[in-house]
Amino acid sequence: MATAKKLTDNHLTCVICTEVFTDPATLQCNHTFCKSCLLKYTKTQPEAIQDKTIPCPSCRQLTRVTNPDSPVEKWGSQLKPSHVIQGLMDDLGESSDTCSVCKEDGETTPGTMWCTICDDVFCDGCLQLHKKMPRLRDHEVIDLRIHSNEKPKAQRFMCRIHKDEKIKLFCKDCRMAICTVCCSIKHRKCDDVETIDTMTPLVKESLITETRNQEKKKKIYTDNISSTNSKIEKLSTNAQEMKDQVQKVCMAAVDVLLKKEKKLLERIDQLTKIRIEEWKAHRKSQEIDLQMHQQRYEFIDKAVTSNCVGDMYDIYETVSVASRDEDTSEDKRPIPSTIVFTHDTDKLRRYVDEVQLGEVKVVQDVSDRTSSPVLLQTIDCRRQGDILAFLGSLFDVAVLVVDGIKVMVVIDSFNSRLHACYTSNKRHIQKCLDLPTGPSQVAKVGGARVAVTLPDTQQIAFINFDPEPTLLSTVKTKRQYNGLACLNSSQLVAGGKDSRASVDVLDMKGNVLKSINTGVIKNPSYIHVTRNNNLIFSNAAVKSLVSATCDGEVVFTYTPTGEKALKYPRGVTTTSTGDILLVDSYSHRVIQLTESGQFVRDVLTQHDGLECPRGICLDDDGLLYVTNYNDVKVFTFCEGLTEIDRHYSVT
């Protein structure tokens, strides 16, 4: 159990079965799987079987089998075994070797001795048989009990096929270490065979280089995994924030309905109270009249029953006058009325259905090549009295996060200043920093600092943000520089403006550490450092984009022709997946290329409102910023409406 955990912790597991490797085999793409797992997977891929290839379950790269006419079941045996993986498993795993001879007879006798030549384990009894054979008696045998039941590494390099023969040669054509027998039998037609002594230093150097490459790849993948974990955490946090916002908006809508409900209820109470008071007053009047008529009734009844003729006539005259007065009096009863509540439920439902609480969208990174741009904001950076240049004054843009506040930094070249735009306490704030001369390009140098090239005065300015911009210092350089990028925490890369054709690597004091050849681009106006620490240069003069290593080795040159030809390439940046975004000012577009320089699409065009764009950058949230004449346009990217979007569409 402990051994299995040790192997699992060291990533010695097959991604198909998720178990520790069994008979590991490595494909041409260097991904390793169990042979049996590969066979099962290949049988589910009819196209691969038809092409006589084994597809990699991880990257889909195809590996051709050496004997394609053999049955599919035999293809696994044709793959090269992964000795590296098996060796790691042997090193980390606990020995459970049984005697090789006894094992063939179905017995599990523990092995005590290991033959370094045969690479077999023997029990004490079978070892005696091994020693009796004349060809085997001189083999070096190791006591596993002394070595704690672990096989020590063999000191002699023996042929795996001819186990009595030492490895003395290396076939470069087949990339195999071989013995003299193998050379004379299987490698007679090979042209390039060297001695093992000649090849060993070269192989060691090659492996050391490969180790360094693997270290770099490990760092890249470790950083990617860390970034992915951050994104997952951010998605969860963002989901809760959005739910809170939805509930807040819903409560606002409910609050409006509750206020309307309260108003209607108060209206009902008010009207009802007024009508009740009117009828109460009428009732009081009726009670008074009733009392009067009751008294009159008793007075008349008494006169009639008294049999006094005089009293009867007196009362009769009084009653006649009172009757005439009542006939002419005004009826003061309230006007009959009823309070009713009228409503149209269907109409109300239609209104409620049309109420839009908001919309939930999937915002993509521009690296998703199926996403579509959506303009979020246009930020005007003009001030009264500004110089308006033909191609615009805003040369470059960058985005920093300072104490949780996102700060957009804009280079205003013709007006010799830097803009810092941010939002604080729900207010949009724009601060400006005047510079000694017109800046050209901005580069983030860590934390809340940027560096800016000042070509006319041969300076690089360092500026801090809190979030307002403050000029920290300027350093003098020996050349005029336009393009600028941060190579690492202590080095900058700068593109010259003079006749000398090269890019310089500088320290933070402006001293030249080394110069780099940049191919067809002599003095790049814009420079960007990729995730692989390669450099990307653009320049309008040669209408090209060049990718090169830090040592000046050109990776690729992008100089398209025809309709896709560049007219005035300027700003450049890269996405989280390595895709390249290049601004082409005169064609009013932003172009997306693969990491290897292949055209993907026009991400933004004049239809998206671009007019002579120059600078470009992406922030950590995937928002794209483009300087556009005298403003900055901010874009997000959304995917198309899916079935789940339609199902959960809320209006």
Side-chain angles (χ1 to χ4, degrees):
M1 198 71 170
T3 301
K5 186 177 186 307
K6 191 190 296 182
L7 295 172
T8 302
D9 291 345
N10 284 274
H11 309 290
L12 295 174
T13 54
C14 172
V15 296
I16 299 177
C17 64
T18 67
E19 300 290 339
V20 175
F21 284 117
T22 303
D23 196 9
T26 302
L27 300 176
Q28 289 178 357
C29 56
N30 291 323
H31 288 133
T32 303
F33 309 91
C34 303
K35 283 185 180 179
S36 57
C37 293
L38 271 176
L39 180 60
K40 291 177 183 177
Y41 176 75
T42 303
K43 287 182 177 180
T44 65
Q45 306 295 315
E47 293 181 1
I49 294 175
Q50 187 176 358
D51 292 339
K52 306 295 184 182
T53 57
I54 298 176
C56 174
S58 294
C59 66
R60 304 294 187 267
Q61 183 176 330
L62 301 178
T63 297
R64 296 203 170 274
V65 294
T66 54
N67 186 10
D69 296 329
S70 60
V72 178
E73 289 74 13
K74 301 290 184 181
W75 288 4
S77 61
Q78 299 176 34
L79 293 171
K80 62 178 181 180
S82 181
H83 300 302
V84 175
I85 297 294
Q86 189 62 57
L88 289 171
M89 293 174 66
D90 291 341
D91 289 343
L92 294 170
E94 294 177 5
S95 176
S96 59
D97 289 315
T98 57
C99 175
S100 302
V101 179
C102 295
K103 191 174 182 180
E104 292 182 2
D105 296 332
E107 299 179 8
T108 57
T109 308
T112 57
M113 308 296 287
W114 173 56
C115 177
T116 62
I117 308 302
C118 301
D119 193 23
D120 282 326
V121 177
F122 301 99
C123 63
D124 291 337
C126 293
L127 180 64
Q128 298 305 317
L129 295 174
H130 180 272
K131 288 181 177 180
K132 289 180 180 180
M133 297 180 183
R135 295 184 58 196
L136 306 179
R137 63 176 55 147
D138 294 331
H139 288 188
E140 183 183 359
V141 178
I142 303 295
D143 192 335
L144 293 177
R145 290 167 293 192
I146 298 175
H147 294 276
S148 305
N149 290 331
E150 292 185 7
K151 296 178 185 176
K153 299 296 182 184
Q155 297 299 316
R156 289 190 287 176
F157 192 16
M158 308 303 291
C159 179
R160 293 181 180 275
I161 300 173
H162 310 98
K163 295 189 176 182
D164 290 327
E165 296 290 331
K166 289 184 179 181
I167 295 292
K168 293 182 179 181
L169 303 170
F170 183 84
C171 177
K172 287 186 176 181
D173 294 346
C174 303
R175 294 179 62 84
M176 289 179 63
I178 57 176
C179 67
T180 53
V181 178
C182 288
C183 184
S184 60
I185 297 174
K186 293 187 176 182
H187 299 269
R188 288 178 297 174
K189 296 182 179 180
C190 295
D191 297 325
D192 200 352
V193 177
E194 292 281 356
T195 65
I196 204 72
D197 293 336
T198 303
M199 285 301 300
T200 298
L202 300 176
V203 169
K204 186 174 182 179
E205 184 180 350
S206 175
L207 291 177
I208 290 172
T209 302
E210 181 60 25
T211 302
R212 291 170 183 159
N213 291 336
Q214 292 302 323
E215 284 290 338
K216 290 179 182 177
K217 290 180 180 179
K218 278 172 55 182
K219 185 179 185 307
I220 290 171
Y221 281 103
T222 301
D223 292 344
N224 287 344
I225 291 171
S226 177
S227 176
T228 300
N229 290 337
S230 298
K231 285 181 170 62
I232 291 171
E233 185 178 352
K234 188 173 182 179
L235 278 172
S236 300
T237 304
N238 187 49
Q240 187 56 52
E241 289 175 354
M242 286 190 294
K243 287 179 181 179
D244 294 341
Q245 290 174 2
V246 169
Q247 291 174 345
K248 187 176 180 180
V249 171
C250 185
M251 288 304 298
V254 170
D255 188 51
V256 172
L257 291 176
L258 290 175
K259 286 180 179 178
K260 288 183 175 294
E261 177 193 37
K262 183 181 179 182
K263 189 174 181 180
L264 286 171
L265 294 177
E266 288 176 349
R267 177 69 172 161
I268 291 171
D269 290 341
Q270 182 184 19
L271 293 176
T272 301
K273 182 179 180 181
I274 291 172
R275 299 305 294 161
I276 287 174
E277 291 299 326
E278 289 177 351
W279 283 106
K280 281 184 177 180
H282 177 66
R283 183 181 63 188
K284 185 67 175 176
S285 174
Q286 295 294 306
E287 288 173 349
I288 293 172
D289 289 346
L290 174 62
Q291 185 179 4
M292 181 189 69
H293 287 294
Q294 178 65 30
Q295 292 174 351
R296 189 177 295 174
Y297 164 78
E298 292 174 355
F299 182 70
I300 295 172
D301 182 66
K302 184 178 180 180
V304 172
T305 55
S306 65
N307 294 322
C308 176
V309 176
D311 290 342
M312 289 176 59
Y313 275 96
D314 289 339
I315 292 172
Y316 178 75
E317 291 175 0
T318 304
V319 169
S320 298
V321 173
S323 297
R324 285 197 300 271
D325 292 340
E326 287 178 4
D327 291 339
T328 58
S329 65
E330 183 180 354
D331 187 0
K332 295 183 179 180
R333 287 183 303 171
I335 300 173
S337 62
T338 303
I339 302 171
V340 296
F341 171 58
T342 60
H343 64 281
D344 187 336
T345 304
D346 292 336
K347 186 177 181 180
L348 178 63
R349 282 176 179 160
R350 286 196 301 271
Y351 284 155
V352 172
D353 286 341
E354 291 173 2
V355 172
Q356 207 167 26
L357 294 179
E359 189 175 1
V360 178
K361 290 183 178 180
V362 177
V363 178
Q364 303 289 93
D365 190 281
V366 65
S367 54
D368 179 0
R369 298 166 186 174
T370 63
S371 61
S372 300
V374 177
L375 179 63
L376 280 185
Q377 190 178 11
T378 298
I379 302 171
D380 192 344
C381 295
R382 289 176 296 180
R383 295 174 68 185
Q384 189 173 3
D386 277 356
I387 299 172
L388 300 180
F390 171 66
L391 289 178
S393 181
L394 308 182
F395 276 26
D396 203 9
V397 61
V399 176
L400 305 171
V401 177
V402 182
D403 297 330
I405 299 174
K406 190 181 293 186
V407 182
M408 183 185 72
V409 181
V410 185
I411 295 299
D412 190 341
S413 182
F414 287 102
N415 294 292
S416 301
R417 66 168 171 259
L418 176 146
H419 297 263
C421 306
Y422 56 94
T423 301
S424 179
N425 296 324
K426 298 182 180 180
R427 291 191 308 115
H428 179 70
I429 300 172
Q430 186 173 148
K431 298 291 184 178
C432 295
L433 176 67
D434 292 327
L435 297 170
T437 184
S440 184
Q441 192 177 2
V442 59
K444 296 191 288 185
V445 294
R449 293 192 308 145
V450 301
V452 176
T453 51
L454 305 174
D456 291 344
T457 55
Q458 293 184 209
Q459 289 178 306
I460 295 177
F462 291 91
I463 299 160
N464 189 66
F465 296 83
D466 64 348
E468 291 188 22
T470 304
L471 181 61
L472 292 178
S473 63
T474 58
V475 296
K476 192 72 175 175
T477 58
K478 293 182 179 180
R479 299 177 62 191
Q480 290 181 310
Y481 292 116
N482 270 333
L484 186 69
C486 183
L487 188 60
N488 53 52
S489 60
S490 60
Q491 294 179 346
L492 299 171
V493 184
K497 191 180 178 182
D498 49 32
S499 58
R500 180 181 157 200
S502 68
V503 169
D504 293 334
V505 176
L506 313 174
D507 62 18
M508 291 300 174
K509 295 182 179 179
N511 300 313
V512 177
L513 302 178
K514 68 175 180 178
S515 296
I516 301 172
N517 175 34
T518 55
V520 297
I521 296 180
K522 305 304 179 184
N523 289 305
S525 301
Y526 289 85
I527 305 174
H528 180 75
V529 179
T530 71
R531 60 178 183 171
N532 297 328
N533 229 34
N534 285 341
L535 306 175
I536 302 177
F537 312 101
S538 76
N539 186 271
V542 293
K543 298 180 174 55
S544 297
L545 177 139
V546 172
S547 174
T549 66
C550 292
D551 296 323
E553 181 182 347
V554 174
V555 179
F556 70 82
T557 300
Y558 180 73
T559 311
T561 57
E563 293 182 355
K564 291 186 173 63
L566 301 176
K567 294 183 178 179
Y568 204 80
R570 305 305 281 167
V572 62
T573 190
T574 52
T575 69
S576 57
T577 58
D579 281 2
I580 299 167
L581 301 179
L582 173 65
V583 172
D584 192 17
S585 288
Y586 283 0
S587 64
H588 313 289
R589 60 182 177 146
V590 173
I591 303 160
Q592 184 170 3
L593 308 175
T594 64
E595 196 168 11
S596 59
Q598 303 299 313
F599 178 83
V600 176
R601 59 171 174 162
D602 289 334
V603 178
L604 299 172
T605 66
Q606 203 163 9
H607 295 294
D608 298 300
L610 294 194
E611 184 180 1
C612 298
R614 272 183 178 262
I616 187 171
C617 77
L618 282 163
D619 69 10
D620 293 338
D621 295 321
L623 298 182
L624 181 64
Y625 299 73
V626 183
T627 62
N628 183 66
Y629 196 58
N630 288 301
D631 57 41
V632 179
K633 293 192 179 296
V634 185
F635 294 89
T636 187
F637 290 81
C638 296
E639 67 176 3
L641 196 66
T642 63
E643 286 299 323
I644 193 169
D645 293 327
R646 282 188 279 271
H647 178 74
Y648 287 107
S649 179
V650 181
T651 56

